[in-house]
Amino acid sequence: MKVKEIRDLLEAQILCGEDQLENDLQGVFASDFMSDILAFTDSQQILVTGMINPQVVRTAEMVDMKCIIFVRGKMPTEEIISLAEESGMIVLASRFLMYSACGILYSREEDPKPCRV
Amino acid sequence: MPGLTFTYAVDGNDYHKAGEASRSAKFALKKLGLPPEVVRRVGICMYEGEINMVIHADGGTATLKVGMDEIEIELEDKGPGIPDLELAMQEGWSTADSQANQLGFGAGMGLPNMRRYSDEMQIDTTVGEGTTVRMIIKIR
């Protein structure tokens, strides 16, 4: 799914990575627990979270994610955005709750498969 | 093990900076042209260990030794030590405080994740003296 489609679907504001709107991203992982992100992500490129701190960016970076979507209307600080910018990440902020944001993204996947550990 | 050694001081007083050493290490390993999956595994192991050092031990030292066939991560702290290692290795067991929870950690997945992503892991710990964690990630 292209970044601009994600932005439109989630009525999101793009906070950094505007030059990557045409990039095609695959796979979503949603969590507020950083260790779960480290434990269970495979090749997902998009992180959906409601946590706001620099560790979100560092955690996403450790598992090679490309895009962070902050949900529940949470707005990251300048420090967090700068950190993401340094890493070449895309950052979006949406007012949808995590459940809704994930539902919208899941329903748009070409071949959605429920994942289990 | 001949090769390159990288040493990082982990600041235990600034929760905001937790993870910076691992970020630098991952950047250095990428520059060396190591396989992405190896870099990812080293990053996860070191990052979880670094967070543990900040949460539980007021920081410490992280050393990466990059050899031809494997990478060794050594995390050394002078913290309180781990009284019951078997319990600490169980998924879901945690003694982390609310500050750690605010960062999204403290769910009892740190040590299990380090074991999951390393090929070998050894923990030497003495209550009141500190903990040293050594992990090996094979390159081939």
Side-chain angles (χ1 to χ4, degrees):
Chain A
M1 200 183 304
K2 285 190 192 296
V3 175
K4 67 178 182 187
E5 290 175 60
I6 298 170
R7 179 198 60 188
D8 294 345
L9 285 167
L10 299 183
E11 300 166 17
Q13 189 179 341
I14 185 149
L15 303 176
C16 77
E18 277 188 70
D19 55 329
Q20 300 183 63
L21 284 173
E22 294 294 330
N23 286 12
D24 212 357
L25 301 178
Q26 302 296 324
V28 180
F29 192 91
S31 182
D32 285 348
F33 278 121
M34 299 301 109
S35 285
D36 277 358
I37 297 163
L38 296 167
F40 302 123
T41 51
D42 179 12
S43 56
Q44 294 94 334
Q45 294 181 315
I46 303 164
L47 172 65
V48 179
T49 188
M51 286 295 272
I52 297 281
N53 59 54
Q55 277 69 31
V56 172
V57 177
R58 295 189 187 115
T59 302
E61 204 177 354
M62 287 301 144
V63 289
D64 302 319
M65 285 179 156
K66 309 286 182 209
C67 174
I68 301 170
I69 304 169
F70 291 103
V71 290
R72 306 198 281 267
K74 300 284 182 76
M75 196 53 79
T77 60
E78 281 298 323
E79 181 199 4
I80 295 169
I81 296 169
S82 299
L83 204 57
E85 226 161 15
E86 270 175 37
S87 307
M89 269 187 207
I90 303 153
V91 176
L92 300 170
S94 168
R95 297 187 68 80
F96 281 108
L97 298 182
M98 187 186 277
Y99 176 76
S100 305
C102 290
I104 291 165
L105 295 176
Y106 189 79
S107 69
R108 292 302 184 108
E109 281 191 17
E110 278 176 21
D111 184 19
K113 289 190 182 79
C115 300
R116 296 179 183 85
V117 289
Chain B
M1 186 172 65
L4 283 171
T5 300
F6 300 89
T7 304
Y8 302 89
V10 176
D11 184 352
N13 297 314
D14 191 348
Y15 266 51
H16 247 58
K17 285 188 182 158
E20 267 304 295
S22 305
R23 194 165 179 248
S24 302
K26 185 164 183 177
F27 184 70
L29 294 181
K30 269 187 186 170
K31 275 179 80 174
L32 290 176
L34 287 158
E37 188 50 32
V38 171
V39 176
R40 177 184 157 107
R41 289 171 61 206
V42 171
I44 293 172
C45 289
M46 183 170 162
Y47 184 60
E48 286 281 21
E50 183 183 352
I51 297 290
N52 271 352
M53 283 201 284
V54 174
I55 292 173
H56 299 288
D58 290 331
T61 306
T63 308
L64 273 187
K65 293 175 186 167
V66 184
M68 291 298 288
D69 302 321
E70 62 187 34
I71 297 173
E72 183 187 305
I73 308 166
E74 186 181 273
L75 306 162
E76 190 181 7
D77 69 62
K78 305 284 182 209
I82 306 168
D84 189 336
L85 197 51
E86 201 179 326
L87 199 56
M89 289 302 299
Q90 285 179 18
E91 285 192 7
W93 172 260
S94 177
T95 56
D97 59 15
S98 59
Q99 207 176 354
N101 294 146
Q102 282 167 17
L103 295 184
F105 290 94
M109 293 294 288
L111 287 173
N113 269 354
M114 288 153 75
R115 182 172 54 190
R116 186 190 305 247
Y117 286 104
S118 60
D119 292 303
E120 294 170 30
M121 181 162 115
Q122 185 192 331
I123 302 175
D124 296 310
T125 183
T126 306
V127 172
E129 290 185 19
T131 301
T132 301
V133 182
R134 282 186 197 85
M135 290 170 282
I136 301 283
I137 284 101
K138 307 272 188 202
I139 295 173
R140 301 189 187 93

